[in-house]
Structure formats: structure tokens, C-alpha cells
Amino acid sequence: MSEKHYRPIIKDGDHLVQSKKNSNRVIGQTRNAENKNPKIIEWEAVGDTDYEYELAKMAHEERMAEVQSRQSTADAITSVLNLINTTVTFLAENPEVLEAAVNLGKKAKNGIAGVKNKLILAVQDGKKQKKNRENIKNAASVPEFTDTKIAAPISTDAILDAMETSQSERENISVVRHGN
């Protein structure tokens, strides 16, 4: 009785996985062109002559997949290096472009720093203004005194319009109330 031989049923673009133990063998799994998505495959019985041809064909496909994988990596690296070379050559031939790019970067950095500083100052100024308003309100809550000469109560309510008066003016102004 002769030994039976089997041929794997492989989808287009897939290839058998190389054995880690023996480089002359494959295992019963396939992977796609990117060596991903492993699948267990089905096998069909074949005659002896068909078997030799299929083995040679599978070995050839394995080698081609490996070469294509290496070639695509080399192509990507070559493309990046060509882009770098083109850019460096352009900048060497046009130094004004490089200088303009550097100046633009500095302006952007300085602009961002300036906006940051203005924001910090605005926040700090807002805190100072809030504190000043609180001081004014506290000063305004001082009890009323009666002037014996005028015989009308004098209030220390301060004018809160920060736009028209300075802090020292606001602290020194008192309003006389006439009649209650």
C-alpha cells in the first residue's frame, strides 16, 4: 500500500507558515501577505506526481512572500530617505526658506509666550481687583457716625466705580446722607 499525500487548500494571497523547528518544512497554518490572521487550513488527497509539483509551487510561493515583505520594507525606507534627501537639497539650495522657517518658528514661540504672559497678568489683575472690591465693601460696612454740627448721619459708603476713581480716592470719599 502506498503512502497517501495531501495538498493544502490555500486562498489567494495566503501562504503556509514556515516551521520553527525545521526550515525545510511548513506547518498546517496559513497567513495573509502581511503575515497576519493565521488560519488552520483543509487538505485534500492528491496523487504522487501532483504532490511533488505542489510542494515546489508552495516553496516558491513562500519564498516570493518573504521577498515581497522584505522588498516593501526596503521600498518604504528608500522613500523616506529620498524625501529627506530632496528636502535637505532644497534647503541647501534655498537658504532663505530655511531662515524664514526658523524665524516663523521663533515668532510662533514668542507669540505663544506673549499670550501666556498676558493671560497670567489678566488672572493676577482680576484677583487684585476682587481683593480691592472686598476691601472697599469691608470699609463701607463701618458703622455710621453722626456729625454734631450737621446733625445728619454720615455714611462711609464708597464709590465702587473702579474706572473713574483710583483706590486711594475710593478709600477717602464718604457720602453724606441727607434725611432718612
Side-chain angles (χ1 to χ4, degrees), residues 125-163:
D125 189 43
K127 288 179 181 178
K128 286 179 184 176
Q129 286 181 3
K130 182 178 178 183
K131 187 175 181 181
N132 288 341
R133 274 189 239 119
E134 289 172 3
N135 289 340
I136 292 169
K137 285 180 185 177
N138 291 338
S141 65
V142 173
E144 294 181 2
F145 296 102
T146 305
D147 186 339
T148 56
K149 292 183 181 177
I150 302 177
I154 298 175
S155 172
T156 56
D157 291 338
I159 297 173
L160 299 177
D161 187 0
M163 294 298 211

Tab-separated table of all heavy atoms in Angstrom, residues 125-163:
chain	number	residue	atom	x	y	z
A	125	ASP	N	-4.431	90.287	37.783
A	125	ASP	CA	-5.120	91.565	37.902
A	125	ASP	C	-6.553	91.347	38.388
A	125	ASP	O	-7.054	92.087	39.233
A	125	ASP	CB	-5.118	92.305	36.563
A	125	ASP	CG	-5.619	93.729	36.691
A	125	ASP	OD1	-5.220	94.407	37.655
A	125	ASP	OD2	-6.426	94.149	35.837
A	126	GLY	N	-7.194	90.323	37.868
A	126	GLY	CA	-8.554	90.002	38.299
A	126	GLY	C	-8.602	89.670	39.778
A	126	GLY	O	-9.517	90.085	40.495
A	127	LYS	N	-7.612	88.954	40.272
A	127	LYS	CA	-7.556	88.623	41.700
A	127	LYS	C	-7.356	89.890	42.530
A	127	LYS	O	-7.969	90.059	43.576
A	127	LYS	CB	-6.427	87.631	41.973
A	127	LYS	CG	-6.714	86.239	41.472
A	127	LYS	CD	-5.554	85.311	41.761
A	127	LYS	CE	-5.808	83.903	41.239
A	127	LYS	NZ	-4.666	83.012	41.477
A	128	LYS	N	-6.475	90.801	42.051
A	128	LYS	CA	-6.236	92.067	42.774
A	128	LYS	C	-7.510	92.896	42.811
A	128	LYS	O	-7.856	93.468	43.845
A	128	LYS	CB	-5.115	92.870	42.105
A	128	LYS	CG	-3.731	92.300	42.337
A	128	LYS	CD	-2.687	93.142	41.624
A	128	LYS	CE	-1.305	92.540	41.754
A	128	LYS	NZ	-0.305	93.290	40.980
A	129	GLN	N	-8.211	93.007	41.693
A	129	GLN	CA	-9.440	93.796	41.640
A	129	GLN	C	-10.499	93.228	42.576
A	129	GLN	O	-11.200	93.967	43.253
A	129	GLN	CB	-9.978	93.858	40.212
A	129	GLN	CG	-9.179	94.761	39.303
A	129	GLN	CD	-9.750	94.827	37.900
A	129	GLN	OE1	-10.779	94.233	37.603
A	129	GLN	NE2	-9.067	95.548	37.025
A	130	LYS	N	-10.603	91.912	42.643
A	130	LYS	CA	-11.560	91.275	43.537
A	130	LYS	C	-11.212	91.597	44.991
A	130	LYS	O	-12.082	91.931	45.792
A	130	LYS	CB	-11.567	89.765	43.310
A	130	LYS	CG	-12.570	89.036	44.158
A	130	LYS	CD	-12.572	87.549	43.856
A	130	LYS	CE	-13.563	86.820	44.753
A	130	LYS	NZ	-13.549	85.391	44.535
A	131	LYS	N	-9.927	91.524	45.320
A	131	LYS	CA	-9.487	91.826	46.681
A	131	LYS	C	-9.786	93.289	47.013
A	131	LYS	O	-10.250	93.611	48.111
A	131	LYS	CB	-8.000	91.521	46.821
A	131	LYS	CG	-7.490	91.646	48.234
A	131	LYS	CD	-6.048	91.229	48.337
A	131	LYS	CE	-5.566	91.353	49.776
A	131	LYS	NZ	-4.170	90.988	49.910
A	132	ASN	N	-9.522	94.209	46.069
A	132	ASN	CA	-9.803	95.629	46.297
A	132	ASN	C	-11.296	95.865	46.523
A	132	ASN	O	-11.682	96.637	47.394
A	132	ASN	CB	-9.309	96.480	45.125
A	132	ASN	CG	-7.800	96.582	45.094
A	132	ASN	OD1	-7.137	96.340	46.101
A	132	ASN	ND2	-7.259	96.937	43.943
A	133	ARG	N	-12.164	95.205	45.744
A	133	ARG	CA	-13.603	95.350	45.926
A	133	ARG	C	-14.020	94.869	47.309
A	133	ARG	O	-14.849	95.481	47.963
A	133	ARG	CB	-14.343	94.569	44.839
A	133	ARG	CG	-14.520	95.361	43.572
A	133	ARG	CD	-15.446	94.659	42.600
A	133	ARG	NE	-14.670	94.437	41.391
A	133	ARG	CZ	-14.377	93.259	40.857
A	133	ARG	NH1	-14.821	92.162	41.400
A	133	ARG	NH2	-13.666	93.169	39.773
A	134	GLU	N	-13.421	93.756	47.743
A	134	GLU	CA	-13.733	93.235	49.074
A	134	GLU	C	-13.286	94.217	50.151
A	134	GLU	O	-14.004	94.451	51.131
A	134	GLU	CB	-13.069	91.876	49.289
A	134	GLU	CG	-13.692	90.759	48.478
A	134	GLU	CD	-12.909	89.454	48.556
A	134	GLU	OE1	-11.892	89.390	49.289
A	134	GLU	OE2	-13.311	88.506	47.876
A	135	ASN	N	-12.105	94.821	49.989
A	135	ASN	CA	-11.626	95.818	50.959
A	135	ASN	C	-12.558	97.026	51.008
A	135	ASN	O	-12.842	97.566	52.082
A	135	ASN	CB	-10.205	96.267	50.624
A	135	ASN	CG	-9.183	95.183	50.899
A	135	ASN	OD1	-9.447	94.249	51.654
A	135	ASN	ND2	-8.015	95.298	50.290
A	136	ILE	N	-13.029	97.448	49.858
A	136	ILE	CA	-13.934	98.595	49.792
A	136	ILE	C	-15.245	98.266	50.493
A	136	ILE	O	-15.766	99.054	51.278
A	136	ILE	CB	-14.184	99.020	48.330
A	136	ILE	CG1	-12.893	99.593	47.734
A	136	ILE	CG2	-15.331	100.013	48.228
A	136	ILE	CD1	-12.947	99.785	46.246
A	137	LYS	N	-15.791	97.088	50.250
A	137	LYS	CA	-17.036	96.690	50.891
A	137	LYS	C	-16.862	96.609	52.401
A	137	LYS	O	-17.737	97.019	53.165
A	137	LYS	CB	-17.512	95.344	50.338
A	137	LYS	CG	-18.092	95.443	48.956
A	137	LYS	CD	-18.537	94.084	48.453
A	137	LYS	CE	-19.011	94.174	47.016
A	137	LYS	NZ	-19.363	92.855	46.504
A	138	ASN	N	-15.727	96.073	52.838
A	138	ASN	CA	-15.456	95.991	54.279
A	138	ASN	C	-15.343	97.379	54.889
A	138	ASN	O	-15.827	97.625	55.994
A	138	ASN	CB	-14.184	95.188	54.562
A	138	ASN	CG	-14.357	93.715	54.243
A	138	ASN	OD1	-15.482	93.221	54.206
A	138	ASN	ND2	-13.268	93.024	54.009
A	139	ALA	N	-14.714	98.303	54.175
A	139	ALA	CA	-14.590	99.673	54.671
A	139	ALA	C	-15.961	100.354	54.709
A	139	ALA	O	-16.249	101.152	55.595
A	139	ALA	CB	-13.623	100.474	53.805
A	140	ALA	N	-16.818	100.012	53.769
A	140	ALA	CA	-18.146	100.615	53.691
A	140	ALA	C	-19.056	100.105	54.800
A	140	ALA	O	-20.037	100.750	55.147
A	140	ALA	CB	-18.774	100.328	52.343
A	141	SER	N	-18.745	99.002	55.400
A	141	SER	CA	-19.609	98.447	56.438
A	141	SER	C	-19.269	98.987	57.828
A	141	SER	O	-19.788	98.513	58.826
A	141	SER	CB	-19.510	96.924	56.439
A	141	SER	OG	-18.203	96.531	56.800
A	142	VAL	N	-18.413	100.005	57.910
A	142	VAL	CA	-18.091	100.659	59.190
A	142	VAL	C	-19.356	101.348	59.681
A	142	VAL	O	-20.080	101.957	58.894
A	142	VAL	CB	-16.936	101.674	58.989
A	142	VAL	CG1	-16.700	102.472	60.264
A	142	VAL	CG2	-15.695	100.956	58.522
A	143	PRO	N	-19.661	101.292	60.968
A	143	PRO	CA	-20.903	101.909	61.477
A	143	PRO	C	-20.956	103.404	61.162
A	143	PRO	O	-19.937	104.072	61.070
A	143	PRO	CB	-20.831	101.670	62.982
A	143	PRO	CG	-19.512	101.053	63.268
A	143	PRO	CD	-18.869	100.700	61.996
A	144	GLU	N	-22.179	103.896	61.031
A	144	GLU	CA	-22.377	105.305	60.709
A	144	GLU	C	-22.106	106.174	61.936
A	144	GLU	O	-22.408	105.804	63.065
A	144	GLU	CB	-23.812	105.544	60.249
A	144	GLU	CG	-24.137	104.859	58.947
A	144	GLU	CD	-25.559	105.141	58.505
A	144	GLU	OE1	-26.297	105.901	59.175
A	144	GLU	OE2	-25.922	104.594	57.465
A	145	PHE	N	-21.528	107.340	61.683
A	145	PHE	CA	-21.269	108.306	62.750
A	145	PHE	C	-22.149	109.525	62.497
A	145	PHE	O	-22.435	109.875	61.357
A	145	PHE	CB	-19.786	108.716	62.750
A	145	PHE	CG	-18.862	107.572	63.055
A	145	PHE	CD1	-18.166	106.924	62.052
A	145	PHE	CD2	-18.689	107.151	64.372
A	145	PHE	CE1	-17.315	105.883	62.347
A	145	PHE	CE2	-17.835	106.114	64.671
A	145	PHE	CZ	-17.141	105.470	63.657
A	146	THR	N	-22.511	110.220	63.545
A	146	THR	CA	-23.331	111.415	63.404
A	146	THR	C	-22.458	112.630	63.658
A	146	THR	O	-21.766	112.708	64.661
A	146	THR	CB	-24.493	111.397	64.424
A	146	THR	OG1	-25.217	110.204	64.253
A	146	THR	CG2	-25.395	112.602	64.230
A	147	ASP	N	-22.508	113.531	62.733
A	147	ASP	CA	-21.780	114.780	62.881
A	147	ASP	C	-22.668	115.727	63.683
A	147	ASP	O	-23.795	116.045	63.289
A	147	ASP	CB	-21.474	115.366	61.504
A	147	ASP	CG	-20.599	116.594	61.582
A	147	ASP	OD1	-20.554	117.227	62.656
A	147	ASP	OD2	-19.969	116.909	60.566
A	148	THR	N	-22.171	116.203	64.832
A	148	THR	CA	-22.996	117.040	65.710
A	148	THR	C	-23.266	118.400	65.106
A	148	THR	O	-24.265	119.023	65.428
A	148	THR	CB	-22.311	117.200	67.075
A	148	THR	OG1	-21.016	117.716	66.873
A	148	THR	CG2	-22.271	115.901	67.824
A	149	LYS	N	-22.418	118.863	64.238
A	149	LYS	CA	-22.636	120.181	63.642
A	149	LYS	C	-23.730	120.122	62.578
A	149	LYS	O	-24.536	121.018	62.470
A	149	LYS	CB	-21.344	120.713	63.016
A	149	LYS	CG	-20.299	121.035	64.039
A	149	LYS	CD	-19.095	121.617	63.367
A	149	LYS	CE	-18.039	121.917	64.425
A	149	LYS	NZ	-16.820	122.417	63.858
A	150	ILE	N	-23.718	119.033	61.748
A	150	ILE	CA	-24.694	118.928	60.664
A	150	ILE	C	-25.962	118.237	61.172
A	150	ILE	O	-27.035	118.475	60.665
A	150	ILE	CB	-24.118	118.152	59.473
A	150	ILE	CG1	-22.864	118.834	58.963
A	150	ILE	CG2	-25.130	118.025	58.362
A	150	ILE	CD1	-22.188	118.111	57.847
A	151	ALA	N	-25.820	117.413	62.159
A	151	ALA	CA	-26.926	116.656	62.724
A	151	ALA	C	-27.528	115.716	61.707
A	151	ALA	O	-28.693	115.447	61.698
A	151	ALA	CB	-27.973	117.579	63.324
A	152	ALA	N	-26.736	115.232	60.811
A	152	ALA	CA	-27.187	114.219	59.844
A	152	ALA	C	-26.187	113.067	59.862
A	152	ALA	O	-24.998	113.291	60.078
A	152	ALA	CB	-27.259	114.821	58.454
A	153	PRO	N	-26.663	111.891	59.691
A	153	PRO	CA	-25.724	110.763	59.718
A	153	PRO	C	-24.763	110.812	58.526
A	153	PRO	O	-25.150	111.189	57.423
A	153	PRO	CB	-26.623	109.535	59.650
A	153	PRO	CG	-27.936	110.016	59.165
A	153	PRO	CD	-28.024	111.479	59.462
A	154	ILE	N	-23.531	110.432	58.778
A	154	ILE	CA	-22.520	110.386	57.715
A	154	ILE	C	-22.214	108.919	57.442
A	154	ILE	O	-21.897	108.160	58.352
A	154	ILE	CB	-21.237	111.114	58.125
A	154	ILE	CG1	-21.533	112.585	58.379
A	154	ILE	CG2	-20.159	110.936	57.061
A	154	ILE	CD1	-20.360	113.357	58.913
A	155	SER	N	-22.299	108.544	56.197
A	155	SER	CA	-22.032	107.148	55.824
A	155	SER	C	-20.658	107.066	55.176
A	155	SER	O	-20.217	107.998	54.516
A	155	SER	CB	-23.094	106.662	54.830
A	155	SER	OG	-22.731	105.404	54.334
A	156	THR	N	-20.024	105.945	55.339
A	156	THR	CA	-18.723	105.746	54.699
A	156	THR	C	-18.852	104.844	53.475
A	156	THR	O	-17.913	104.176	53.088
A	156	THR	CB	-17.727	105.129	55.688
A	156	THR	OG1	-18.271	103.927	56.197
A	156	THR	CG2	-17.397	106.086	56.807
A	157	ASP	N	-20.047	104.817	52.877
A	157	ASP	CA	-20.217	104.034	51.644
A	157	ASP	C	-19.263	104.576	50.593
A	157	ASP	O	-19.176	105.769	50.360
A	157	ASP	CB	-21.653	104.144	51.103
A	157	ASP	CG	-22.651	103.441	52.005
A	157	ASP	OD1	-22.209	102.549	52.759
A	157	ASP	OD2	-23.852	103.780	51.932
A	158	ALA	N	-18.524	103.689	49.958
A	158	ALA	CA	-17.522	104.108	48.976
A	158	ALA	C	-18.102	104.027	47.572
A	158	ALA	O	-19.006	103.261	47.296
A	158	ALA	CB	-16.293	103.225	49.074
A	159	ILE	N	-17.555	104.827	46.731
A	159	ILE	CA	-17.953	104.783	45.328
A	159	ILE	C	-17.225	103.597	44.694
A	159	ILE	O	-16.007	103.498	44.754
A	159	ILE	CB	-17.589	106.092	44.615
A	159	ILE	CG1	-18.349	107.234	45.245
A	159	ILE	CG2	-17.869	105.992	43.128
A	159	ILE	CD1	-17.945	108.578	44.733
A	160	LEU	N	-17.985	102.713	44.057
A	160	LEU	CA	-17.404	101.459	43.570
A	160	LEU	C	-17.065	101.489	42.089
A	160	LEU	O	-16.796	100.453	41.505
A	160	LEU	CB	-18.378	100.303	43.853
A	160	LEU	CG	-18.696	100.073	45.329
A	160	LEU	CD1	-19.711	98.954	45.470
A	160	LEU	CD2	-17.427	99.731	46.091
A	161	ASP	N	-17.095	102.651	41.507
A	161	ASP	CA	-16.786	102.709	40.086
A	161	ASP	C	-15.278	102.749	39.912
A	161	ASP	O	-14.646	103.789	40.014
A	161	ASP	CB	-17.447	103.931	39.460
A	161	ASP	CG	-17.303	103.936	37.951
A	161	ASP	OD1	-16.693	102.982	37.417
A	161	ASP	OD2	-17.791	104.873	37.308
A	162	ALA	N	-14.648	101.598	39.612
A	162	ALA	CA	-13.196	101.481	39.521
A	162	ALA	C	-12.642	102.195	38.301
A	162	ALA	O	-11.461	102.504	38.234
A	162	ALA	CB	-12.794	100.015	39.497
A	163	MET	N	-13.482	102.478	37.323
A	163	MET	CA	-12.990	103.078	36.103
A	163	MET	C	-12.694	104.568	36.282
A	163	MET	O	-11.827	105.109	35.633
A	163	MET	CB	-14.009	102.912	34.965
A	163	MET	CG	-14.202	101.470	34.578
A	163	MET	SD	-12.650	100.828	33.980
A	163	MET	CE	-13.208	99.664	32.813
